[in-house]
Amino acid sequence: MILQELTAYYQVLRAKGKISLPGWSSAKVPYALQLSPQGSLTDILTLKYLPEGAKKEIPQSFSVPEQVKRSVGIISNFLCDSSSYLLGIDAKGKPERSKKCFAAAKDLHHAVLDGVESPAAKAVLAFFDTWQPETAAENSVLAPKLEEILSGVNLIFRVGSAYAQDDTAIAQAWENSRKASSSGKKTGRCLVTGRRVPIARLHPSIKGVKGAQSSGASLVSFNADAFESFGHERGDDTGQGYNAPVSEDAAFAYTTALNHLLADRKHVQHIADTTVVYWAEDASAGSQDLFGAAAFGMEDKTITQGDMKSAIDALAQGRPYNVNGLPLNPENHFYVLGLAPSAARLSVRFFLQDTFGNMLKNLQEHYNRLEIEKPSFETHPVLSLWWLLNETANQKSQDKAPPAPMSGAVLRAILTNTPYPSSLFEAVMLRIRAEQDIGWRKAAILKAYFLKNKSIYVPEEVLKVKLDEQSNYTPYVLGRLFAVLEKIQTDATPGINTTIRDRYFNSACATPAAIFPLLINLSQHHQRKLAEGSRIYYDKMITELESRIQQTLPSRMNLQEQGAFHLGYYHQKQALYTKKNKGDSDNG
Amino acid sequence: MSYGIKVEVWGDYALFSRPELKVERASYDVITPSAARGLVEAIYWHPGLRILIDRIYVLNPICFTNIRRNEVKSKVQASAVKRMMTGGPVPMLCTSADIQQRAAMLLRDVHYVIEAHFELTDKAAPTDNPGKFKDIFRRRLERGQCYHTPYFGCREFPAHFRAWQGEIVPAVPETRDLGLMLYDLDYSNPCDIEPMFFHARLQDGIMQVAGEEILR
């Protein structure tokens, strides 16, 4: 499933030449060591740049020989490593260990580069042979940037005008040494490719998941006794990787593809603690752009609102569509992967796969369900996922993040067109109770929830875009009545601080029988302050509403009925304000 | 004469861990043949018979959910127990120090019909015969007898079971490629227990197991 799809994605990217080859990975490098052909350090080059709109310079990314996974042991990387390994000094205060690191790096570079006929290889070897870690701190070339170089950042070599890793002879030597090291390893059945090949002992780290360790976390790892099975213990020479046999090639391919996706900041989303990446089978960036804009409401300058709507309409019906000259295919498979950090590991929150057209169709149906009459000042055309989830969390608290498991479940429900999680409904109801108000976003969520989750009985007339004046459903009518009573009060005493909504909103929807007689009574006092015309107007309205209640007032309403109450209140309130505008123009 | 059996199983949750994602567990989409075999063996097993899964019918749509729970990261080593037997210290597991939160992506509301058959092994007694085993199966299914509660991949997720009564199994209209799936484990060499895989495909809600190529 996940590993297979990511491996396939790697193959597509590789065919397009967009991703590093086996044995290579990309690393962020701020400084390069300039070497003379005789191997002496002549300069330090700064490799940082200022991205557009950013305030701080960031290191450049380079394709470097694949880096090993280290915990406490001393293992050197080839051609790209920290000052401990390449210079033999660091800021860790353990000179003995640093010296050992340098020796390890020296051995590795000799092992790979001995006998390589290339000026660059000779310069690198000469550097390792002549460099004195003891006197490094006093070196005049290092001095200006010493502190930053010693902080553990990556360094690379540059000989003449080319970087050492770009030298063809050196790259070939690296390839040969890599092949030599993987031969003779224990083979097994790879669960991704199905072939009998050498099994990876450790899988490369995944970087860029929010909340996980910055040095990277593992998607596949067995880092404690209890996770291992069938005697494939860590101490065993088969290695922990044998707990789940994945070939070295597949391990490289899936991690490289996933790191590539996570490094593409434009197409990474964060929902609560979950980091979401999405990709199309054919690696078309157009599908990613359109999906990002449609599902997460991302601002995308390349796709206009009108273009997006017609694109979604076409693709949802299974017709291909061109965005900015690039064709998008509705039959293309599309994947959405949610990753969450857990200790030093990553866990899969969800993995959704479907054709691109179907995903957009599900998304479109979700937006149709959310459709509700909005206040005139609202300019957002749709309720994007980010806004939707924000409605479930207290935006005035310090931690504004919506509940994590719910967020993933909501996205899953939207993209697979399945019932929304009941936690969404409960969270929204909780916010309504706490805020004693219901905005259009909350009303839209309630409507969508009732529409999709059919197991809950709510009459159809409640779930309309606009006010339904013919509904006799008591909770809905009571919601409408409450909105009218509130309007009477604010009309009668303009500028009042505490209205009946602040005092009675929650109790009115939970226990109508106890509150409504009181409210009607209060309203008589409010009405007396009104002008003759509006008094008659409101009196008619109340009488009309009361005539729709054909039962004794319920002493308690359950959560669903309360939801219907909220929708009635919201609809009526919208209607009151729009109608008033109409009345004004009629008078004039 | 066929010695096939059809068992209907259903339950609220299921977790058929993928080997690669078994630490932060994620489930396969469909019950694996080895989980199905374990489930049938919970109902009836005998040294003289070997159960082989033929096909699996998926009756409910595939639906996932997530949970997170507290587990421990250590296990009591067999060597430590052995030391204790020869007078060493008593091995202990300190749960509060060893606690680990682990997430799981598991299946909701599963419902399958497992079609299997059995073969006699060389451990079968001279008086054993397939008809006898088949009758025992039938009676045990009728009475709801089992050696231990059958479960869906994890002991925490018990399975309800009964013999499948109908003729045609109403599988969900779902066709997809499930990729490589764990078939079973090869226990023939106790020092090196190897997993076996097969390419699983769901065709109109039916996963064919018998006759598929097993990658050893």
Side-chain angles (χ1 to χ4, degrees), chain A residues 1-4 186 189-192 194 196 219-222 224-230 232-233 242-245 341-342 345-350 412, chain B residues 18-24 26-27 29 64-66 68 72-75 77 100-103 105 176 178-180 185 187 192-195 197 215-216:
Chain A
M1 188 173 68
I2 299 165
L3 301 196
Q4 278 90 343
K186 192 178 152 88
R189 184 64 69 181
C190 169
L191 57 72
V192 177
R196 246 187 191 284
L219 184 60
V220 179
S221 76
F222 306 89
D225 295 344
F227 308 155
E228 293 163 341
S229 13
F230 302 115
H232 297 303
E233 257 78 59
Y242 215 68
N243 282 287
S342 178
R345 305 181 295 268
L346 296 178
S347 70
V348 175
R349 255 291 143 64
F350 51 79
R412 189 205 301 274
Chain B
R18 292 169 173 274
E20 72 272 30
L21 299 172
K22 71 167 190 155
V23 177
E24 297 295 322
S27 176
D29 297 344
F64 285 96
T65 190
N66 294 81
R68 194 180 264 268
V72 290
K73 66 178 180 195
S74 310
K75 55 186 175 190
Q77 301 286 346
Q100 284 261 318
Q101 276 224 322
R102 288 168 76 183
M105 185 170 95
R176 59 164 104 160
L178 301 173
L180 278 192
L185 285 149
Y187 294 95
D192 187 12
I193 297 162
E194 274 211 68
F197 296 93
L215 304 169
R216 280 172 199 277

Side-chain angles (χ1 to χ4, degrees), chain A residues 545-583:
Chain A
L545 284 173
E546 279 178 335
S547 74
R548 294 197 173 275
I549 302 171
Q550 284 135 358
Q551 60 183 97
T552 51
L553 286 179
S555 59
R556 259 190 193 83
M557 293 210 287
N558 64 28
L559 218 52
Q560 280 86 46
E561 290 168 332
Q562 291 183 28
F565 177 96
H566 294 325
L567 280 169
Y569 172 78
Y570 175 80
H571 278 153
Q572 182 65 53
K573 215 172 154 186
Q574 284 301 313
L576 279 171
Y577 283 93
T578 40
K579 256 196 194 138
K580 196 183 163 201
N581 293 339
K582 228 184 256 166

Side-chain angles (χ1 to χ4, degrees), chain A residues 87 214 320 420-421 509 531 544:
Chain A
L87 298 172
S214 57
Y420 299 103
C509 74
E544 208 271 329

Side-chain angles (χ1 to χ4, degrees), chain A residues 24 116 118 120 163-174:
Chain A
W24 296 81
V116 176
S118 135
Y163 296 105
Q165 72 272 9
D166 296 340
D167 188 90
T168 36
I170 292 181
Q172 188 58 46
W174 169 243

Side-chain angles (χ1 to χ4, degrees), chain A residues 104 116 145 222 249 253 257 259 331 347 351 388 395 436 513 518 555 564 570 579:
Chain A
V116 176
K145 284 152 190 161
F222 306 89
D249 289 344
N259 277 325
E331 292 302 313
S347 70
F351 181 64
L388 189 153
Q395 293 308 300
Q436 308 206 351
L518 180 83
S555 59
Y570 175 80
K579 256 196 194 138

